[in-house]
């Protein structure tokens, strides 16, 4: 006589079947989705709206399987004559200063435009102007600092300007000290404010001297308030030779002095800026970035007539390490204000080939002959040709604003 399975036996069989079915489903699901891209959310950017997810392949991003954030400043320049084409024409973009428009000024080759920055551990997104404008709809972005930040502003203005019809934009300029560009369709404004020290320099001081006031922020700082993104820099003007310095005396806590180490003055000045950021900027509404020092190529490593980047780490830094340490220590101490550090120094050190040199002048040929014995005082080895290296700075800025897989990195 056949014995019927008990209730317990039935449950055992049911449980085993369920487990087996689940394992089959998991294996099939893994197999079917091997080639589906991973997803990543855009970095939180306070009041800037973000879509929920983006497919990495669509944004040309990939990561290794570790959770460690990518160092986008660690990489190399790769010569890509067929791919690394400029995103804009310096002759047609109205924001490029004459001294940065190397091709218009007669530079005979454009090899410096054909190098692309490749990151060691991941791929970073290519700059997308319309995407950036959409993300910054109804926003205001400012760049504050010296002529190197103006160099960066001109690059960004050109990158965005060429992404949309020119009839939908508006531009204003005040003698190079203030620049404004507006994408009317997006209600987005890009502004530049000249402030090489970020603090006040008083050229009409009662002492009759030009005085750098270390504990008072630039008078233009009231114009900075309310911006959604702030990009600052300050460095070169502190490190000029004595004969070229913009100040004669320092003022600190009401006292005038001439004998103060520049590193000490620099630290006090940047602490004044940092204090203003903490008191006047809401980190829930505003993103603050400090751009690192842009390298000069002078003296033994002169940019004149150079057409190839450095392919090794032989560059000898000109900007003092002690002043780099000042910046990085202050930025590290401002984490509660969420100040990001855009560390473009090392990647720019390789690009000895990308400065205007004598091609900052339309009459470069005549000047080269006239001042053949003193060209070091005429060749511009601090600013950058446009299109050029500042476009990469802006690509990294774009990445740091919208993607949360990249980390601040210090030297």
């Amino acid at each position: 006589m056949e014995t019927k399975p008990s209730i317990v036996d039935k449950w055992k069989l049911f449980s085993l079947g369920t487990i087996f079915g689940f394992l089959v489903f998991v294996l099939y699901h893994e197999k079917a989705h091997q080639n589906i891209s991973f997803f990543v959310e855009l970095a939180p950017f306070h009041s800037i709206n973000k879509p929920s997810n983006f497919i990495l392949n669509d944004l040309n991003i990939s990561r290794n399987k570790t959770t460690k954030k990518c160092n986008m400043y660690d990489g190399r320049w790769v010569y890509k004559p067929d791919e690394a084409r400029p995103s804009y024409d310096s002759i047609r973009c109205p924001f490029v200063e004459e001294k940065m428009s190397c091709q218009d000024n007669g530079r005979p080759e454009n090899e410096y435009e054909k190098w692309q920055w490749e990151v060691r551990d991941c791929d970073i997104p290519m700059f997308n102007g319309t995407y950036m404008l959409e993300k910054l709809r109804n926003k205001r972005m400012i760049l504050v600092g010296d002529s190197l930040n103006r160099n960066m502003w001109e690059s960004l203005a050109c990158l965005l300007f060429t992404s949309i019809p020119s009839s939908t934009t508006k531009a204003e300029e005040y003698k190079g000290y203030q620049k404004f560009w507006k994408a009317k369709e997006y209600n987005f404004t890009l502004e530049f404010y000249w402030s090489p020290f970020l603090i006040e320099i008083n050229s009409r001081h009662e002492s009759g001297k030009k005085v750098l006031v270390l504990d008072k922020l630039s008078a233009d700082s009231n114009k900075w308030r309310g911006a959604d993104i702030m990009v600052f820099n300050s460095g070169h003007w502190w490190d000029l030779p004595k004969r070229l310095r913009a100040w004669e005396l320092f003022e600190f806590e009401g006292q005038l002095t001439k004998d103060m180490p520049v590193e000490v003055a620099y630290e006090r000045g940047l602490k004044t800026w940092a204090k203003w950021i903490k008191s006047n900027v809401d980190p829930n509404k505003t993103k603050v970035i400090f751009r690192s020092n842009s390298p000069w190529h002078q003296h033994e490593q002169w940019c004149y007539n150079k057409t190839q980047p450095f392919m090794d780490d032989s560059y000898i830094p000109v900007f003092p390490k002690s002043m780099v340490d000042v910046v990085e220590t202050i930025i590290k101490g401002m984490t509660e204000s969420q100040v990001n550090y855009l560390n473009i120094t090392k990647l720019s050190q390789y690009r000895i080939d990308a400065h205007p040199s004598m091609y900052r002048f339309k009459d470069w040929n005549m000047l080269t002959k006239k001042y053949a014995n003193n060209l070091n005082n005429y060749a511009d080895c601090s600013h950058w040709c446009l299109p050029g290296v500042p476009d990469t700075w802006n690509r990294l800025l774009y990445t740091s604003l919208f993607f949360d897989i990249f980390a601040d990195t210090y030297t």
Side-chain angles (χ1 to χ4, degrees):
M1 182 176 181
E2 184 177 354
T3 303
K4 294 183 179 180
S6 65
I7 296 296
V8 173
D9 292 334
K10 289 181 178 180
W11 275 110
K12 286 181 180 179
L13 289 171
F14 177 79
S15 298
L16 287 172
T18 301
I19 293 171
F20 179 78
F22 176 75
L23 290 174
V24 170
F25 171 80
V26 169
L27 290 172
Y28 175 80
H29 189 270
E30 288 278 332
K31 179 72 175 178
H33 290 77
Q34 281 180 350
N35 298 319
I36 292 182
S37 301
F38 291 97
F39 287 76
V40 63
E41 285 197 2
L42 292 184
F45 185 57
H46 313 307
S47 58
I48 293 183
N49 296 324
K50 65 176 187 293
S52 57
N53 290 303
F54 273 82
I55 299 177
L56 291 180
N57 286 348
D58 289 345
L59 292 176
N60 193 30
I61 306 173
S62 64
R63 290 188 66 191
N64 55 32
K65 294 182 180 179
T66 66
T67 57
K68 182 179 178 181
K69 290 195 174 184
C70 174
N71 176 7
M72 63 183 179
Y73 310 112
D74 181 21
R76 61 176 184 159
W77 290 97
V78 180
Y79 184 64
K80 293 188 173 182
D82 297 325
E83 296 178 38
R85 296 178 180 177
S87 299
Y88 57 90
D89 184 341
S90 64
I91 299 175
R92 295 182 180 179
C93 180
F95 308 112
V96 179
E97 295 176 70
E98 178 182 324
K99 59 188 175 185
M100 312 303 177
S101 187
C102 302
Q103 291 299 304
D104 194 28
N105 291 340
R107 181 165 174 165
E109 47 74 39
N110 64 344
E111 293 300 293
Y112 63 94
E113 297 180 348
K114 300 176 182 179
W115 294 83
Q116 184 170 294
W117 180 248
E118 288 192 355
V119 179
R120 190 179 307 279
D121 295 327
C122 60
D123 294 328
I124 58 175
M126 299 303 294
F127 186 91
N128 185 320
T130 53
Y131 175 77
M132 184 173 185
L133 286 168
E134 188 59 52
K135 297 302 299 169
L136 298 181
R137 185 180 289 275
N138 301 317
K139 303 297 177 184
R140 176 175 169 241
M141 180 176 181
I142 65 171
L143 279 76
V144 182
D146 58 25
S147 57
L148 275 306
N149 247 21
R150 186 170 63 210
N151 209 171
M152 184 176 178
W153 181 93
E154 292 169 7
S155 162
L156 184 54
C158 287
L159 287 166
L160 295 175
F161 174 77
T162 54
S163 300
I164 57 176
S166 59
S167 60
T168 64
T169 70
K170 178 183 179 182
E172 297 178 22
E173 179 177 350
Y174 299 96
K175 297 181 179 179
Y177 293 102
Q178 295 181 20
K179 290 174 175 279
F180 303 90
W181 177 77
K182 183 171 185 177
K184 292 183 284 187
E185 179 183 345
Y186 297 89
N187 192 30
F188 167 73
T189 305
L190 180 66
E191 306 168 16
F192 168 77
Y193 294 94
W194 167 264
S195 185
F197 299 104
L198 302 180
I199 57 174
E200 181 173 316
I201 181 164
N202 188 347
S203 58
R204 298 180 180 179
H205 195 271
E206 58 185 11
S207 65
K209 303 289 186 178
K210 291 177 287 187
V211 177
L212 192 56
V213 187
L214 300 176
D215 48 9
K216 186 176 182 180
L217 206 66
S218 168
D220 279 342
S221 58
N222 64 313
K223 300 175 183 176
W224 309 344
R225 288 189 175 93
D228 299 284
I229 306 171
M230 299 177 170
V231 182
F232 294 94
N233 92 295
S234 183
H236 278 305
W237 278 63
W238 296 84
D239 189 44
L240 291 174
K242 288 185 178 181
R243 61 186 175 83
L244 297 176
R245 287 178 178 173
W247 75 87
E248 297 171 272
L249 298 173
F250 295 116
E251 180 180 324
F252 184 68
E253 296 182 344
Q255 301 296 315
L256 293 175
T257 182
K258 184 177 182 180
D259 300 320
M260 182 186 297
V262 173
E263 291 86 351
V264 174
Y266 187 51
E267 181 177 14
R268 289 174 173 174
L270 286 187
K271 283 183 175 179
T272 298
W273 167 80
K275 183 178 179 181
W276 183 89
I277 293 293
K278 291 179 181 179
S279 300
N280 293 273
V281 176
D282 182 352
N284 294 313
K285 296 181 179 179
T286 299
K287 187 82 166 180
V288 181
I289 296 100
F290 193 97
R291 179 182 60 73
S292 70
N293 181 67
S294 171
W296 294 16
H297 292 87
Q298 297 178 307
H299 311 304
E300 295 83 5
Q301 297 180 318
W302 194 24
C303 77
Y304 180 68
N305 274 351
K306 296 294 190 300
T307 58
Q308 294 289 314
F310 283 126
M311 302 308 293
D312 55 28
D313 291 327
S314 61
Y315 174 80
I316 302 172
V318 177
F319 194 67
K321 177 65 165 58
S322 58
M323 295 178 72
V324 174
D325 291 341
V326 165
V327 174
E328 297 188 350
T329 298
I330 290 174
I331 299 301
K332 285 179 183 178
M334 297 177 70
T335 53
E336 67 272 18
S337 296
Q338 299 183 0
V339 177
N340 284 22
Y341 189 51
L342 191 69
N343 193 355
I344 54 83
T345 301
K346 186 171 183 179
L347 67 92
S348 304
Q349 288 176 352
Y350 297 108
R351 298 307 308 276
I352 191 172
D353 60 311
H355 296 287
S357 186
M358 292 303 292
Y359 303 107
R360 66 172 289 161
F361 310 103
K362 286 190 179 296
D363 55 349
W364 63 270
N365 197 21
M366 181 271 291
L367 291 174
T368 301
K369 294 176 182 178
K370 183 176 180 179
Y371 299 107
N373 297 324
N374 194 27
L375 286 181
N376 197 31
N377 289 329
Y378 289 88
D380 185 345
C381 295
S382 57
H383 298 97
W384 304 92
C385 295
L386 292 180
V389 171
D391 301 335
T392 296
W393 300 353
N394 283 313
R395 182 184 172 196
L396 300 184
L397 173 65
Y398 168 82
T399 300
S400 69
L401 286 175
F402 303 119
F403 304 96
D404 196 28
I405 61 175
F406 301 95
D408 282 359
T409 305
Y410 300 87
T411 55

